[in-house]
Amino acid sequence: MARREVVVETRNLSMHFGGVRAVDNVDFELREKELRCLIGPNGAGKSTFFKCLTGQLRPTSGDVVIRDIIMTGRESHEIASLGVGIKTQVPNLFDGLTAFENLWLSSRRWHGDRRANTLVKETIDRLELGEIRGSIVGSLAHGQRQMVELGMVVAAEPWLVLLDEPAAGMTDEETFKTAELVREINKTSALIVVEHDMNFIRAISDIVTLFHQGSIFMEDNMDVISADPRAREIYLGQKT
Amino acid sequence: MRLYGTFNGTLVIAGLAIIFTLIAPSIFQFFTIITLTQVIGLSILALSLALVWGFGGILCFGQSAFFGIGAYAYSVAAVNIGGSTGSIFIAILAAAIFAAILGYFVFYGKVSDVYLAVITLTVSLILYSLMRRTSGPEYKIGKALLGGFNGTGSAPLNMPGDGSAMLFPMQTFYVSMAILIIAYVFTGWLVTTKFGRVCISIRENEVRTELLGYDTRLYKLCLFSISAGIAGLGGVLFCVGVTRVTPDVFSLGQSALAIIWVIVGGRMTLIGPILATFVLYFLTSSLGSQQILNANLVLGIILVIFVLIVPNGVVPTIMNWFERRRIKRYARQKERRMKLRKHRAIG
């Protein structure tokens, strides 16, 4: 396989909270159209790492480079303005607005009025959100809210998608649907997915990065990681 | 509940306002018409607060600062220029620019919402103390004396281009209503644009808006300045109605009143606060003419009642009621249709 261009890179990225090294000297690379899952036990630093990428946290040291631009410590909106679609861990929606309006606001950032409307309609069809398009998202069930948020990411047509626990709190059916959607997004965009749900990761993953105590423990495909005794001890061992 | 009405709704209300303007002289006494001009000014203040607080989610506790700056800027400019038309624009600009400078430090300094309320209130009170200390001949801008505690006179409106052709009270009323309607339609339009919808999304969830790639600081700053400009315009009409501007425009009471109007009228609408201003103004002034009940006490009781019983304000509550009825009726129709279909299937 030809080496594709690196689109996201972190160099010696560290994030310390007082004496706690939540992220410690992480060198990470993501290539174009790649789908990467970040896994690791609680407190391994995945979410902190994710927040450093999205500009929600300012790293203590090291650099975040997106498409050859150093984005360390830039505001979230500047990172999103590069064409990055972000879904945070907690469903982060415009609770008082309808599902349609939520998607529209995301799409309109990038497209003209007419194109945004078409894109939103397409996304609603694609994600089967037709029934709830006019509902206030604050009143929806958790799984539906997750779907709306994924819809917001899709409706903007980003080239890079960062998802923090997209399948959290979903039913099996919804998880399956999400996995399918993630694979479809991957046809046109690179993805970084932070996830706990092993079935979900098996369904989507290509290369998986395993975090442990703030650093990358190993990077390989899921089969190799599940076979590795040390990795099992760190993470999978706790589950089985 | 619909969070922002359609622009057609705005136009319908504007149409009703035009009808009101035309029939008002035949139902109200001449004195009331004169008073109406200052109430219109106050209702524009309420409108501006409804925009920045209700739609942008920015609780500006010192909206009257911009209102007062508009009033002072108009009064001073009118003396120096000798006409009202240009002075109105100067007043709007003065208020908007002042807000832009203040807002720059607040929004780009990432000051949290609570502090924003405190800062705007403080700014308003600083201006209040400042203007009270400007008595004496040395405090003047151009030819206009600031007049300290007593304030300074405000020139009446005149025909554009002719400073000596002053408008009669009835004409001033028409002009004021026209300005109110224009300001209302403008704000109503603004909240349906992309800009307005992004501002609403900031109110709903600022972090999410940022993660979508919108620079929320810039949007908030723009909305803050626009609303300050509108408040300044309100200040112009108010001081024209009173024929004088005093430091009281910056007082705590003035700031609190604006917030009460918005809460009572309904902060997610634009027309609610305007109507609440008119109703509460005439209620308190009619209470002021008797000695049994203290007007401020009544106002306080009204506020408490609204916060407890109708927290959304009058207009949204009425709108909700209609909306619920509509949904119910729709559901009943659907049910009936389903029953009918079942009957047919069985038959």
Side-chain angles (χ1 to χ4, degrees):
Chain A
M1 191 173 71
R3 297 294 270 174
R4 283 170 297 191
E5 193 194 343
V6 174
V7 287
V8 180
E9 193 186 351
T10 68
R11 297 175 190 148
N12 302 324
L13 191 75
S14 297
M15 178 79 222
H16 299 173
F17 297 106
V20 181
R21 296 180 170 186
V23 173
D24 197 15
N25 262 325
V26 171
D27 290 308
F28 174 87
E29 268 185 10
L30 182 83
R31 291 175 186 277
E32 201 160 357
K33 302 266 171 76
E34 193 181 339
L35 166 56
R36 180 75 66 90
C37 290
L38 308 185
I39 62 169
N42 285 330
K46 320 176 292 288
S47 285
T48 310
F49 178 73
F50 186 89
K51 282 185 175 157
C52 290
L53 286 183
T54 56
Q56 288 167 286
L57 287 174
R58 185 183 288 261
T60 315
S61 62
D63 278 320
V64 176
V65 183
I66 300 177
R67 283 238 160 124
D68 298 330
I69 307 167
I70 297 180
M71 296 304 286
T72 321
R74 300 296 275 282
E75 302 286 337
S76 295
H77 72 88
E78 291 176 294
I79 290 171
S81 294
L82 296 172
V84 183
I86 302 164
K87 187 208 156 302
T88 53
Q89 192 171 353
V90 205
N92 219 338
L93 294 154
F94 305 122
D95 278 342
L97 307 182
T98 65
F100 186 92
E101 284 158 350
N102 271 270
L103 266 58
W104 187 90
L105 280 160
S106 167
S107 190
R108 186 68 180 85
R109 172 66 184 82
W110 297 100
H111 304 285
D113 206 14
R114 198 172 297 170
R115 176 95 183 97
N117 276 325
T118 342
L119 255 177
V120 170
K121 277 179 196 137
E122 277 172 23
T123 311
I124 285 175
D125 288 343
R126 209 165 127 194
L127 272 66
E128 296 162 25
L129 296 172
E131 268 184 31
I132 55 166
R133 59 170 280 168
S135 317
I136 302 293
V137 296
S139 64
L140 294 177
H142 180 77
Q144 290 174 314
R145 287 163 60 82
Q146 294 271 45
M147 271 316 205
V148 171
E149 200 168 2
L150 279 172
M152 287 171 82
V153 171
V154 174
E157 296 192 309
W159 61 266
L160 170 66
V161 174
L162 308 175
L163 304 176
D164 198 353
E165 305 202 3
M170 281 189 167
T171 62
D172 286 349
E173 195 193 334
E174 283 165 337
T175 307
F176 178 74
K177 217 164 107 186
T178 310
E180 234 175 27
L181 183 69
V182 165
R183 275 202 305 268
E184 207 184 312
I185 296 172
N186 189 224
K187 284 178 191 159
T188 50
S189 343
L191 276 117
I192 298 177
V193 182
V194 176
E195 194 41 84
H196 268 302
D197 188 324
M198 300 315 275
N199 292 327
F200 182 73
I201 290 167
R202 284 212 175 80
I204 61 167
S205 77
D206 187 10
I207 301 283
V208 174
T209 300
L210 174 61
F211 270 76
H212 181 51
Q213 292 177 352
S215 6
I216 295 178
F217 186 75
M218 64 191 296
E219 242 168 29
D220 216 316
N221 64 48
M222 200 57 208
D223 295 333
V224 177
I225 289 186
S226 358
D228 189 288
R230 290 168 307 162
R232 290 179 72 90
E233 199 177 314
I234 289 171
Y235 185 47
L236 306 169
Q238 297 176 337
K239 276 204 140 178
T240 47
Chain B
M1 173 188 157
R2 263 228 197 84
L3 281 140
Y4 45 90
T6 54
F7 189 52
N8 286 341
T10 308
L11 291 180
V12 169
I13 293 171
L16 293 176
I18 291 171
I19 295 171
F20 168 78
T21 314
L22 296 177
I23 59 168
S26 50
I27 50 173
F28 292 120
Q29 289 169 336
F30 185 66
F31 179 73
T32 313
I33 293 287
I34 295 174
T35 319
L36 269 174
T37 298
Q38 36 172 304
V39 188
I40 290 166
L42 293 169
S43 71
I44 293 179
L45 169 64
L47 174 70
S48 74
L49 186 62
L51 176 67
V52 75
W53 183 26
F55 287 82
I58 303 165
L59 173 52
C60 178
F61 220 109
Q63 195 71 3
S64 63
F66 313 124
F67 179 76
I69 286 171
Y72 268 99
Y74 169 81
S75 308
V76 168
V79 171
N80 286 305
I81 299 175
S84 67
T85 316
S87 310
I88 294 177
F89 289 103
I90 289 173
I92 296 172
L93 276 181
I97 290 170
F98 182 80
I101 296 168
L102 177 67
Y104 174 78
F105 291 108
V106 172
F107 297 125
Y108 281 75
K110 298 224 160 163
V111 172
S112 73
D113 297 345
V114 181
Y115 287 101
L116 179 106
V118 177
I119 288 170
T120 48
L121 179 64
T122 313
V123 166
S124 178
L125 293 179
I126 287 171
L127 288 169
Y128 178 59
S129 315
L130 187 74
M131 292 319 285
R132 281 171 69 112
R133 277 169 181 71
T134 55
S135 47
E138 66 274 27
Y139 293 104
K140 58 178 180 179
I141 301 173
K143 287 182 279 180
L145 282 171
L146 291 177
F149 186 73
N150 295 320
T152 185
S154 306
L157 298 177
N158 57 260
M159 287 291 185
D162 183 2
S164 58
M166 282 188 264
L167 297 186
F168 294 109
M170 196 60 83
Q171 292 166 318
T172 307
F173 167 71
Y174 287 136
V175 171
S176 308
M177 273 309 284
I179 289 175
L180 172 62
I181 292 168
I182 291 168
Y184 172 69
V185 172
F186 169 75
T187 13
W189 167 80
L190 191 70
V191 297
T192 62
T193 59
K194 179 197 175 193
F195 172 80
R197 290 165 85 171
V198 173
C199 290
I200 294 170
S201 78
I202 293 173
R203 176 194 72 198
E204 291 296 320
N205 189 337
E206 188 168 349
V207 174
R208 182 74 251 184
T209 314
E210 244 175 69
L211 289 174
L212 290 181
Y214 294 106
D215 188 350
T216 56
R217 302 168 301 184
L218 186 65
Y219 277 90
K220 280 160 91 173
L221 181 60
C222 288
L223 184 73
F224 191 62
S225 304
I226 292 171
S227 121
I230 296 171
L233 179 63
V236 171
L237 294 183
F238 178 75
C239 71
V240 166
V242 184
T243 70
R244 179 154 212 92
V245 52
T246 66
D248 284 338
V249 289
F250 295 116
S251 68
L252 185 60
Q254 188 64 59
S255 298
L257 272 176
I259 288 180
I260 293 174
W261 294 327
V262 175
I263 289 175
V264 170
R267 91 183 169 100
M268 306 261 189
T269 66
L270 295 170
I271 189 64
I274 295 177
L275 293 177
T277 311
F278 279 89
V279 172
L280 290 184
Y281 182 90
F282 283 105
L283 182 71
T284 41
S285 62
S286 66
L287 285 172
S289 57
Q290 47 86 40
Q291 299 294 320
I292 308 160
L293 281 169
N294 181 296
N296 282 332
L297 188 70
V298 175
L299 204 59
I301 292 169
I302 289 176
L303 180 67
V304 171
I305 289 174
F306 270 86
V307 168
L308 290 178
I309 300 172
V310 217
N312 287 330
V314 175
V315 172
T317 306
I318 295 173
M319 268 162 47
N320 263 351
W321 186 73
F322 277 110
E323 183 78 8
R324 267 205 302 275
R325 263 179 50 140
R326 201 179 60 80
I327 291 170
K328 255 187 210 155
R329 203 184 317 136
Y330 179 74
R332 267 205 304 273
Q333 277 172 0
K334 204 171 168 185
E335 207 176 310
R336 216 174 292 149
R337 236 177 291 143
M338 293 286 275
K339 260 185 199 160
L340 214 65
R341 209 173 295 160
K342 232 185 233 168
H343 267 296
R344 281 203 197 115
I346 294 165

